[in-house]
Amino acid sequence: PYDANTTELWMAPPELRSGFRAELAGEVVEDMTAVEADWSLSTAVRALLRPADVGERYDTGAVLRELKDCWLQKPICTSIVIAFWQRYLVKLAELPDLQMDAASLLLEWMPLKADRALPTELLSVMARCGWSRLRASEDAVARSPKATAAVARAPTAAAESARVIYL
């Protein structure tokens, strides 16, 4: 049924790719799998009624708490991607050798509320934050071991609803 579809591949900004830590990504997937929930109509309604873009905030402590609270809501299709990268960035900031502010990283690379971002909003914010969009056919994605492995490792809800793959 998806023969004529195209898949969008999004690549993290070079700054995130250059220091990517696979072990942290694995921890995030484990964390997310432990709290996995089914898709939620109430979360979808929230996405229609409330903005997801955090915008510029100055109280980074409040931003971090607010974004973490969003991870606990039942997901919609975009929640998985947003929560994954936000959780990854928080874990990255917590590494003793890096000394980074987690909220600042979230505001720079993924400033969205995971419980209400619609796909167009997610894609717009990702482009604004330096993520790169690549296009490929379903066949090209199917032949890519990296993309296939990424989908295989994704939590179940993500694998069922994914039409966009993030590398």
Side-chain angles (χ1 to χ4, degrees):
Y2 298 109
D3 292 340
N5 289 346
T6 58
T7 299
E8 289 187 17
L9 300 172
W10 283 79
M11 193 175 343
E15 298 88 343
L16 292 179
R17 287 195 322 270
S18 68
F20 186 78
R21 307 232 180 158
E23 71 281 2
L24 290 183
E27 289 176 23
V28 170
V29 170
E30 287 177 19
D31 293 348
M32 291 177 70
T33 302
V35 295
E36 186 175 356
D38 290 332
W39 182 88
S40 169
L41 179 60
S42 63
T43 304
V45 170
R46 182 181 305 115
L48 291 171
L49 300 176
R50 297 184 188 164
D53 194 343
V54 176
E56 292 190 24
R57 299 275 190 89
Y58 301 101
D59 183 355
T60 57
V63 167
L64 187 57
R65 283 188 302 279
E66 189 174 349
L67 294 178
K68 283 183 171 184
D69 286 345
C70 293
W71 302 344
L72 303 176
Q73 304 304 313
K74 289 185 175 185
I76 55 175
C77 60
T78 56
S79 301
I80 306 301
V81 172
I82 297 166
F84 171 85
W85 281 104
Q86 288 179 345
R87 287 170 183 255
Y88 174 84
L89 292 168
V90 168
K91 284 185 179 289
L92 186 66
E94 291 172 348
L95 292 175
D97 58 324
L98 295 182
Q99 301 291 319
M100 292 190 267
D101 177 58
S104 296
L105 288 176
L106 298 180
L107 289 170
E108 183 174 359
W109 302 114
M110 193 59 69
L112 289 165
K113 295 178 183 176
D115 68 340
R116 64 192 74 173
L118 295 171
T120 53
E121 194 170 17
L122 171 61
L123 300 179
S124 172
V125 168
M126 287 176 65
R128 184 183 80 212
C129 292
W131 295 73
S132 303
R133 185 176 83 168
L134 309 168
R135 286 215 166 220
S137 70
E138 289 285 338
D139 290 339
V141 172
R143 288 191 304 265
S144 167
K146 194 173 194 178
T148 302
V151 172
R153 290 190 308 266
T156 306
E160 290 174 1
S161 65
R163 297 301 313 139
V164 180
I165 300 171
Y166 305 85
L167 304 173

